[in-house]
Every structure is written in C-alpha cells, then in structure tokens.
C-alpha cells in the first residue's frame, strides 16, 4: 500500500453499531471475558469463536437484553488472572477470573457485580500475577488505612486502583 492508501475494511457494521473492542490472542489456553453495562459478564472458550476474514459481519458473542445491557468490554484472560471492575459511581471490585464461570458464546452470562440504581459498569481491567508483584499491590486481605489528620479516610486499595486508572 502506498502513502495515500485508505487501508482495508476490517468489519462491516450495521447502522447504529460500533466496535467495542478487539482481542489479539497471544495464547491458546486463554478465555474471552465479556462484560455488559448492567453488571453481567461471562468467560467463553476461544474455540467457540470462528476465524473471521476482513469485511465480515462479526460474530455474536453475548445475548444483549434490557436486563444485561450493551456489551462494554472484551478482554483475554487466563485462569490465574484477576478482574477489576469499575463502575460510573466509583465502586471498584476485584475478583479471580475463575469465579466467572465458562459459558457458551451466545449466552447472556452471569452477574459480575450488584449495581446501585442508575449505576453502570464503566470498564474492566485484567490484572496478571506478574503485574501484582511488580507494582507492589497490597495483599487481598489488607485492611483500609486509618483516618488521616483531617478526619478523612486514608488512601485505600480501591482509591489507589482508581488513581492508577486516571493516570493511564
């Protein structure tokens, strides 16, 4: 392709559709994690997805309903990874990837997080064991920091995760 080339069409989208994400698979022992805006998600085996060529229509990967909401994230995860879920109202949880059961490709999934009224999932992140050791993250059973001199709570693990996300 030359300098003025426009590239090739990766996917043909219907009116109102948009691309949420793409996963470049690095390992064959991995699973695909899907999250929807209303707190649902699932893990699916890579073997459930067919290989698509350029200009295709895509592959159904989640049964999106009013209950589950629209798909907001797709990630590659291993059994040893942890998942961090952040909501629009600032709630953050961390859970093992194995806590999310394997489901079929075109299913709605299971509840990942219980949301307050009007809250939605903003994003999810995958934390690998190597990331945990390099960044010096606190242990899972660490207690929140004691209040500081202003009477406000000290910096907790959840606040640190949010701050890291804001910096990125």
């Amino acid at each position: 392709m030359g300098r003025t080339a426009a590239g090739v069409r990766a996917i043909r989208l219907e009116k109102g559709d948009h691309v949420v994400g793409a996963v470049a698979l690095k390992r064959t022992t991995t699973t695909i994690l899907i999250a929807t805006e209303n707190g649902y998600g699932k893990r699916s085996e890579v073997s459930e997805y067919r290989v698509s060529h350029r200009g295709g229509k895509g592959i159904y990967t989640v049964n999106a309903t009013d209950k589950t909401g629209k798909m907001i994230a797709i990630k590659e995860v291993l059994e040893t990874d942890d998942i961090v879920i952040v909501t629009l109202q600032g709630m953050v949880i961390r859970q093992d990837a194995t806590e999310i059961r394997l489901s079929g490709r075109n299913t709605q999934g299971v509840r990942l997080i219980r949301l307050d009224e009007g809250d939605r999932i903003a994003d999810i992140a995958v934390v690998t064991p190597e990331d945990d050791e390099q960044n010096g993250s606190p242990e899972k059973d660490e207690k929140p920091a004691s209040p500081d001199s202003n009477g406000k709570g000290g910096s907790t693990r959840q606040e640190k995760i949010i701050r890291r996300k804001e910096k990125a």
Side-chain angles (χ1 to χ4, degrees):
M1 278 190 228
R3 183 176 56 84
T4 60
V8 295
R9 180 182 299 272
I11 187 170
R12 293 187 189 279
L13 298 174
E14 297 288 325
K15 193 169 202 140
D17 287 349
H18 66 278
V19 176
V20 171
V23 176
L25 299 173
K26 301 173 193 128
R27 301 169 284 257
T28 57
T29 59
T30 190
T31 56
I32 303 295
L33 173 70
I34 305 297
T36 64
E37 63 185 358
N38 291 342
Y40 286 82
K42 66 177 182 167
R43 286 187 312 132
S44 299
E45 293 285 347
V46 173
S47 60
E48 297 222 9
Y49 295 87
R50 63 178 162 76
V51 175
S52 294
H53 300 286
R54 62 181 194 215
K57 288 286 200 174
I59 302 169
Y60 281 108
T61 191
V62 66
N63 186 13
T65 63
D66 290 337
K67 176 179 150 185
T68 61
K70 296 178 181 176
M71 187 172 100
I72 55 109
I74 181 169
K75 304 284 183 184
E76 174 187 22
V77 295
L78 293 172
E79 299 281 324
T80 57
D81 291 340
D82 283 351
I83 310 302
V84 177
I85 302 170
V86 182
T87 70
L88 291 176
Q89 294 181 359
M91 187 171 21
V92 178
I93 66 164
R94 181 175 180 165
Q95 60 184 323
D96 291 332
T98 55
E99 291 179 17
I100 305 167
R101 77 165 187 252
L102 286 169
S103 300
R105 182 179 55 82
N106 194 18
T107 58
Q108 74 178 16
V110 296
R111 184 180 299 276
L112 297 178
I113 183 173
R114 292 199 187 278
L115 298 170
D116 295 333
E117 186 70 30
D119 201 6
R120 295 188 333 236
I121 291 181
D123 202 6
I124 61 172
V126 178
V127 180
T128 60
E130 297 85 38
D131 288 347
D132 232 6
E133 293 166 7
Q134 289 173 355
N135 293 334
S137 294
E139 295 297 319
K140 288 185 180 183
D141 57 352
E142 182 178 301
K143 294 184 173 86
S146 59
D148 60 16
S149 59
N150 297 334
K152 297 180 180 177
S155 180
T156 64
R157 180 171 167 248
Q158 290 180 350
E159 291 171 356
K160 289 177 185 174
I161 292 171
I162 292 171
R163 283 191 205 125
R164 280 190 208 141
K165 183 166 179 71
E166 289 171 354
K167 289 178 185 176

